[in-house]
Amino acid sequence: MTIPVRPEYTARPRYRFSTRSTARWFVIAALTVCGAGLTLRVLADAAREHPLVAALVVLACVAVAGCSAPARRSLRIRRAARRTARTLRCAAATAVETAETAEAEAAAAAAEAEAVAEAEAAAAAAEAPVYEVRGVDYTLLDAYEFEQAVADLCERDGCRDVQVVGGAGDLGADVLATAPDGRRVVIQCKRYGPTNKVGSQDMQRFGGTCFAVHEAQLAAVVTTSEYTQPAVEYAEQCGILCFDRQALDDWSAGTGPAPWDTAYGVDDPAVVA
């Protein structure tokens, strides 16, 4: 008769509470939580400013997570913490270096742009025609040069906001300025030959726009020629100041008055002819 053999059971060892082991795990847990929080904060800041650095930190975190195996856990956590700290230091150094490089590049770009602007301004100034306002033979200038020369005279004698606006669609105004006494000056420039006088029709076209359109407080026609008698009479009626060749030469040489020194408003016109 076969007698069955009863299997023998080995009693499991009872778990014994250890204060040292428990404290060690609490310390490990605290370090893990703090490290994770600091890592997430750095990752968030780095991800906004430097995506490349953020990628490096994420790889470091993945490496730390891969080292959390049950065996030799404490040693690996300490090693991972050291590697994380090194990675964070490298990331911070890289971020600072990148910021300094970007700032240096921005400063260099700004300096280069300023230098280019100054060079362009210098080139434009070199190409722009320069007019002497004394001893000029205005009959040798073309229409645009004559307008610019009159504008230079205005600026020389204290006008502000001097603009040359002559051209297509100028409605009779070639030079706009603000006189030293604050009045708005509107000048029409007529570069005519000595035998071609400014006529009444020329004056009427200017009179129809200088006050109503350009709101002139002092309107003047400056010419390299002379005026017909009907043109002078119309100018007197409308309060338009007439500067002929002789008055222009005197103004240019400084021996004669500027337009705003000869008229005190449209109610009291002065005509130099």
Side-chain angles (χ1 to χ4, degrees):
M1 180 178 180
T2 303
I3 300 174
V5 179
R6 298 179 62 182
E8 295 182 359
Y9 295 96
T10 304
R12 295 181 178 179
R14 297 180 62 185
Y15 175 77
R16 299 176 64 183
F17 178 77
S18 173
T19 304
R20 180 178 179 182
S21 177
T22 303
R24 182 179 62 184
W25 286 109
F26 271 117
V27 171
I28 293 173
L31 289 175
T32 303
V33 171
C34 291
L38 180 60
T39 302
L40 290 175
R41 182 175 180 180
V42 172
L43 281 173
D45 294 339
R48 285 194 299 269
E49 297 182 3
H50 306 288
L52 180 60
V53 176
L56 294 175
V57 175
V58 170
L59 291 176
C61 293
V62 172
V64 171
C67 296
S68 60
R72 303 172 64 185
R73 181 172 297 176
S74 298
L75 179 60
R76 292 184 178 179
I77 288 178
R78 287 196 296 270
R79 290 178 178 175
R82 287 195 295 269
R83 284 196 293 269
T84 301
R86 287 196 299 269
T87 302
L88 292 177
R89 286 196 297 270
C90 292
T94 303
V96 171
E97 183 179 357
T98 302
E100 292 177 350
T101 302
E103 184 178 357
E105 291 178 353
E112 183 178 358
E114 184 177 358
V116 170
E118 291 178 355
E120 291 178 351
E127 293 176 358
V130 179
Y131 306 105
E132 293 291 339
V133 294
R134 290 180 181 273
V136 176
D137 187 353
Y138 293 101
T139 60
L140 300 179
L141 305 178
D142 61 27
Y144 175 77
E145 291 173 339
F146 180 52
E147 294 170 2
Q148 184 64 55
V150 172
D152 291 343
L153 285 173
C154 294
E155 190 168 10
R156 182 200 68 179
D157 290 348
C159 285
R160 307 184 307 275
D161 305 323
V162 180
Q163 302 177 56
V164 177
V165 295
D170 60 11
L171 297 177
D174 294 321
V175 177
L176 302 178
T178 301
D181 58 10
R183 287 179 294 171
R184 180 174 175 81
V185 179
V186 179
I187 299 176
Q188 185 179 70
C189 300
K190 292 293 187 182
R191 192 198 65 79
Y192 285 172
T195 60
N196 186 13
K197 296 183 178 182
V198 179
S200 177
Q201 291 185 352
D202 295 327
M203 195 66 69
Q204 289 177 23
R205 282 193 291 268
F206 180 59
T209 60
C210 61
F211 298 116
V213 176
H214 301 293
E215 300 179 349
Q217 294 173 297
L218 189 154
V221 176
V222 179
T223 183
T224 55
S225 181
E226 297 178 351
Y227 299 88
T228 64
Q229 187 59 33
V232 173
E233 292 174 356
Y234 179 85
E236 290 176 347
Q237 294 174 0
C238 297
I240 299 174
L241 183 66
C242 297
F243 259 51
D244 64 5
R245 171 63 184 272
Q246 185 60 50
L248 174 61
D249 288 341
D250 292 342
W251 178 22
S252 176
T255 58
W260 46 90
D261 293 330
T262 60
Y264 297 93
V266 296
D267 294 331
D268 183 18
V271 177
V272 180

